[in-house]
Amino acid sequence: MLIKILPNDKGNPAGKLADAELHFDHGDLAGLRLVGFAVWERRTGDGRNVTFPARAYSVNGARRSFALLRPLADTAGQDHLRDLILHAYAEFEAQLAVAS
């Protein structure tokens, strides 16, 4: 699996640093990609966060979201994927710094 970082050059919405995609290169999902991840600056300014793909829906006028990628049992898998995406973003930033 490859994590592709797509920078948010527009700066809109505020705090969104980049989108991230998972590109599958082996196994049954080879040749496919999973989109909908985003890297955000934390509101407190202390670190970064990753949001996962979700679908918005409305119940009695209240907006809610339904996570599309959920753990089977243990949330450690989501935490590991979040860490991988944050690491890929840090590498992307480092490459930009070297190129500048």
Side-chain angles (χ1 to χ4, degrees):
M1 174 183 74
L2 171 72
I3 299 171
K4 182 169 178 149
I5 301 296
L6 307 163
N8 181 20
D9 297 332
K10 298 174 186 171
N12 191 12
K16 184 177 180 183
L17 301 172
D19 288 302
E21 301 178 347
L22 305 183
H23 292 206
F24 300 98
D25 52 3
H26 291 90
D28 292 335
L29 298 178
L32 299 174
R33 64 182 169 169
L34 180 60
V35 301
F37 299 91
V39 180
W40 297 81
E41 189 72 40
R42 289 192 188 273
R43 291 180 188 166
T44 61
D46 185 28
R48 301 200 165 103
N49 186 37
V50 175
T51 55
F52 284 61
R55 170 131 350 202
Y57 66 98
S58 182
V59 173
N60 297 327
R63 188 171 178 184
R64 298 182 183 183
S65 63
F66 177 80
L68 297 175
L69 184 65
R70 295 177 287 169
L72 292 172
D74 184 16
T75 60
Q78 275 188 324
D79 295 339
H80 180 65
L81 181 54
R82 183 174 284 110
D83 291 343
L84 288 173
I85 292 171
L86 289 172
H87 181 20
Y89 183 76
E91 287 181 348
F92 174 80
E93 275 189 318
Q95 290 175 355
L96 282 180
V98 169
S100 296

